[in-house]
Amino acid sequence: MLKSVFIAIPKKSNTLDCENHRTISLMAHTLKLFLKIILRRIRRKIIPQIPTDQYGFMPDRGTRNVIFVLLMLCERSIEHQQEVFLCFIDHQKAFDKVHHSQLLTILKRIGIDGKDFRIIHNLYYKQKAAIKLSEGLTEWTDIKQGVRQGCVMSPDLFNLYRVAARRWRHM
C-alpha cells in the first residue's frame, strides 16, 4: 500500500524529451477503496476550510461554474462598456510542491487526529515509488514531497494545503 509504480505516457508521439511525458501512478484497487473511506471521514473537516470561490477539485463545483461566472462577467462588462482583464495561471507541477510536514501540521490544526491522521502520516512519510521502463522497474525511492499521484485524497489535500498554507503563513 505504500508503493506506487509510475508509467510515463508521451504527450506527443515519438518524443524522447522527459518534459513531453505525463506520468501516471498505478495503485492497488484496495488502497484506492481504503483511501475513499478515509476521505469521506476527513472531508467534513476539510471542506469548510476551502473558500466557496475555489472550483477546482471540489464536489458540485467545476469548470462549468467558472465558465458561467466568466461569461456573466463579460456580458455585464459589455453592457456597462467596461474592459475586462483576465489572467490565467498554470501552476505547473503544483501537486509536487506540497511539503509533507506542513500538510500534516495543517491536518492537525483542522482537527484530523487519531487513526485517520496516522494513516495519512504513514502514507506520506513511508511512501516509495519506482518507474516502469521497458527493461523493468527502477529501484524503489522515497518520495519526499508532493501529494500522492493517483490518490483519491490528493485533490482535497492539495486544496487544503494551498489555502491553509497561505492563510497561516504568518501565524
Side-chain angles (χ1 to χ4, degrees):
M1 287 193 170
L2 299 175
K3 292 183 175 181
S4 299
V5 175
F6 290 93
I7 298 175
I9 298 176
K11 294 177 187 176
K12 300 175 184 176
S13 60
N14 300 325
T15 183
L16 298 176
D17 185 6
C18 290
E19 293 296 318
N20 289 327
H21 286 78
R22 177 176 290 111
T23 55
I24 62 166
S25 172
L26 302 177
M27 297 172 80
H29 291 299
T30 52
L31 177 59
K32 287 187 178 189
L33 180 62
F34 178 64
L35 294 177
K36 270 196 177 216
I37 293 167
I38 301 299
L39 177 61
R40 279 190 138 165
R41 293 194 329 210
I42 66 171
R43 193 174 247 176
R44 63 191 140 98
K45 292 186 179 178
I46 291 176
I47 296 296
Q49 304 296 320
I50 310 298
T52 56
D53 63 355
Q54 170 63 38
Y55 290 93
F57 311 118
M58 293 299 295
D60 303 321
R61 293 184 237 162
T63 53
R64 283 188 201 128
N65 301 94
V66 176
I67 291 169
F68 176 75
V69 169
L70 186 58
L71 178 64
M72 296 304 296
L73 180 66
C74 289
E75 285 179 2
R76 294 280 157 84
S77 69
I78 290 169
E79 285 175 20
H80 298 284
Q81 298 178 351
Q82 296 290 316
E83 292 182 347
V84 173
F85 298 93
L86 302 173
C87 176
F88 295 93
I89 301 170
D90 180 9
H91 292 285
Q92 186 177 16
K93 310 274 188 214
F95 269 37
D96 298 337
K97 306 286 190 233
V98 173
H99 297 279
H100 295 165
S101 59
Q102 289 176 345
L103 175 62
L104 293 170
T105 299
I106 292 165
L107 289 171
K108 274 214 184 265
R109 262 189 153 156
I110 67 166
I112 306 297
D113 55 5
K115 293 175 189 170
D116 294 332
F117 182 83
R118 283 194 308 278
I119 289 166
I120 295 168
H121 177 274
N122 288 336
L123 282 172
Y124 279 91
Y125 273 101
K126 296 181 180 179
Q127 69 176 313
K128 294 186 176 291
I131 300 171
K132 185 175 182 177
L133 304 172
S134 56
E135 306 83 43
L137 288 179
T138 63
E139 289 185 31
W140 293 97
T141 186
D142 295 329
I143 305 295
K144 302 291 185 190
Q145 71 180 41
V147 289
R148 289 178 66 116
Q149 290 279 334
C151 175
V152 295
M153 291 192 307
S154 290
D156 286 69
L157 294 176
F158 174 74
N159 275 342
L160 176 67
Y161 178 83
R162 187 185 62 76
V163 169
R166 189 174 30 190
R167 182 182 302 152
W168 295 325
R169 183 176 296 138
H170 303 293
M171 294 178 125

